[in-house]
Amino acid sequence: MRISRTGQLVQVRKHCLPIMVMFMLLCTLLSCTKRVEGIVLSERDDNVKWDAVYVDFFYARATSGENINNEYESFRDNAVKQGIPFGAVCLYDDFEGGSGYSRFQSFKNVVPKGSVDLIPALFVNYPALLQNKEHFFDGVREWIRLCKEYYGTYPLVFCDEKGLFSQLGMDSILIWSSSLLGKTPIESAKLVFYGSELIPGFSEEVSCVYLNGSIDDIMLLP
């Protein structure tokens, strides 16, 4: 009986071998396909084949300083049509004019409560040669404070500088991201913002986002 059972097992394994080989090949192909979790779009990304876009969520730049991104509403409308959770970004740098208050008012006018699915995002472009750093950080802190008051949540903060959060003194931001571009990701980040990649639906490379957590982490509460 022991020999008979062993023989049966060998026969089953030989019979299953082609299926197992096909399964392993399929797994290899899938592992070679890097799935983008989310993307961040700016006004430059205006040539999109939306039927081919396959992402879990995406953000689009709504404002830069006090200036409005003309493509923002088109991005939002297409996200709604495709059923993709959508969020808005404010670019905050030293090249665009305005205080933290005026920049947030512009953002709020473009992105009223209830118009997006995801919590707001603040892209802080921290200039290394900035002269008045404290003034810059005061503006960023004000934007974050106003965001919490209006939307009921702190924003995601995209940045290149690791030390930005310690300089802001904003330990209450529980969900944030860092644009480390190949460096070791900060473990506490819920969202890690990486460089550009070419993905289906886009004629040029776009900024890609990989979620360290669940989509629920960045969904706005109703």
Side-chain angles (χ1 to χ4, degrees), residues 87-210:
V89 178
C90 170
L91 173 63
Y92 200 111
D93 60 20
D94 195 43
F95 305 105
E96 307 286 351
S99 63
Y101 177 84
S102 62
R103 296 182 195 216
F104 181 77
Q105 295 307 310
S106 295
F107 182 84
K108 183 179 73 170
N109 291 337
V110 178
V111 190
K113 266 190 291 192
S115 65
V116 293
D117 308 300
L118 309 178
I119 67 177
L122 184 64
F123 197 124
V124 181
N125 187 13
Y126 175 60
L129 301 178
L130 185 65
Q131 296 295 321
N132 193 342
K133 294 183 180 181
E134 193 55 39
H135 176 73
F136 179 83
F137 290 131
D138 282 345
V140 174
R141 279 190 287 263
E142 184 174 29
W143 199 102
I144 291 173
R145 178 181 60 80
L146 292 170
C147 177
K148 180 67 165 64
E149 289 180 1
Y150 181 71
Y151 295 102
T153 180
Y154 289 108
L156 294 171
V157 179
F158 298 158
C159 71
D160 294 323
E161 178 60 44
K162 266 188 176 183
L164 175 68
F165 294 95
S166 60
Q167 295 184 60
L168 285 175
M170 298 297 295
D171 295 334
S172 54
I173 300 178
L174 301 178
I175 304 174
W176 55 273
S177 67
S178 56
S179 175
L180 300 179
L181 300 177
K183 300 177 184 177
T184 304
I186 299 175
E187 292 182 359
S188 60
K190 283 291 185 181
L191 198 74
V192 183
F193 177 70
Y194 284 98
S196 300
E197 291 185 21
L198 185 62
I199 64 171
F202 295 86
S203 58
E204 298 180 358
E205 291 187 343
V206 294
S207 299
C208 299
V209 179
Y210 298 91

